[in-house]
């Protein structure tokens, strides 16, 4: 990959990258389309990155279907797919990691120690290996997006970042590879997540300014289903990710919840200054 990328660079061919962990869905493909007109060669990587998984997480059972992924990427106009092995990415002497301070601490960082360091490290390696000039990420993983934006700025990386809106199912559930773990019953229950966010969006634009009240309302919608276990509901500043007490301008509402054993995350920016449209398909 490194040699090929060097060749491309010598020929003046610019590369755009969508890093993924595979088992692709429309959310991933929307990011490939976001690269249109931004580079000469659209590329994706498929790599289930072991260092971003915790000990008790789902690395061993993470879904994979490389053949189907390659077909979908080709259809979406990807001219190159990079699928490295873990042993090549992390040979035995590997010792370096990238830590993006502060932004990595709240929200998912509280429950997944080491996760964002694993993400930042692999993304920097993928940027270096592919020499991409532009890369696209989804706002579904909002905290990840902010962390990577910080890393690019702090380390002066010559990569332009693009961010894609969250792509959702008909009933509002954010597309995620992990949705494949849900049983039909759990899948129905999972509707509570977009429903709680849409409730918060509406109430924040109408009458509720108090973040504690919004947070309580979100939690009670989520826990109205017995199979849902809330990990966090946070209302934070969309840039600094610091907690907010009041909905002034825009506030990021981020939730993580287990439905059965499947961990789902989702988020929405709410408040009078937000231009966020209602989540399509959700009735509150
Ligand atoms: P993953 O394969 O889960 O690591 O995701 C690869 C990229 O796709 C990340 O930038 C994610 O934020 C993005 N992504 C995942 N789900 C969605 C979605 N529903 N809508 C938009 N982007 C997504």
């Amino acid at each position: 990959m490194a040699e090929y990328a060097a060749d491309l660079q010598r020929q003046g061919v610019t590369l755009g990258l969508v890093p993924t962990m595979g088992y692709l869905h429309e959310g991933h493909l929307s990011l490939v389309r976001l690269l249109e007109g931004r580079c000469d060669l659209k590329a994706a990587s498929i790599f289930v990155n072991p260092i971003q998984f915790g000990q008790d997480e789902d690395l061993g059972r993470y879904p994979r279907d490389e053949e189907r992924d390659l077909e979908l990427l080709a259809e979406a106009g990807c001219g190159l797919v990079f699928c490295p092995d873990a042993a090549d990415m992390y040979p035995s002497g590997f010792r370096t990691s990238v830590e993006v301070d502060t932004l990595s601490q709240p929200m998912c960082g509280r429950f997944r120690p080491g996760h964002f360091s694993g993400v930042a490290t692999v993304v920097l390696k993928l940027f270096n290996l592919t020499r991409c000039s532009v890369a696209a990420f989804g706002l579904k993983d909002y905290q990840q997006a902010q962390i990577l934006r910080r890393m690019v700025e702090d380390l002066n990386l010559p990569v332009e970042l693009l961010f894609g809106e969250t792509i959702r199912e008909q009933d509002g559930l954010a597309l995620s590879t992990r949705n494949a773990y849900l049983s039909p019953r759990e899948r129905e229950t999972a509707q509570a997540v977009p429903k709680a966010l849409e409730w918060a969006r509406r109430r924040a634009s109408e009458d509720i300014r108090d973040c504690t009240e919004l947070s309580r309302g979100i939690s009670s919608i989520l826990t109205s289903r017995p199979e849902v276990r809330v990990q966090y509901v946070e209302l934070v500043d969309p840039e600094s990710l610091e907690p907010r007490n009041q909905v002034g301008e825009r506030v990021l509402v981020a939730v993580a919840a287990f439905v059965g054993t499947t961990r789902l995350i989702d988020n929405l920016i709410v408040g009078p200054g937000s231009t966020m449209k209602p989540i399509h398909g959700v009735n509150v």
Side-chain angles (χ1 to χ4, degrees), residues 236-256:
V236 299
D237 179 274
E239 270 77 47
S240 69
L241 306 186
E242 282 167 10
R244 279 282 188 82
N245 297 321
Q246 291 287 317
V247 179
E249 285 282 287
R250 302 172 335 135
V251 167
L252 175 78
V253 181
V255 305

Side-chain angles (χ1 to χ4, degrees), residues 18-22 24-28 30-31 52 62 136-141 144 164-168 174-178:
V18 177
T20 82
M21 298 207 298
L24 303 181
H25 51 65
E26 198 47 43
H28 299 111
S30 72
L31 297 177
Q52 72 184 69
Y62 198 81
F137 296 89
L139 290 171
K140 150 97 170 27
D141 298 281
Q144 166 176 290
E165 293 300 328
T166 301
I167 307 295
R168 297 175 181 280
L175 295 187
S176 163
T177 298
R178 290 190 169 98

Side-chain angles (χ1 to χ4, degrees), residues 125-137:
K125 281 175 71 79
L126 291 168
F127 284 2
N128 285 334
L129 283 163
T130 62
R131 304 197 186 191
C132 57
S133 57
V134 53
F137 296 89

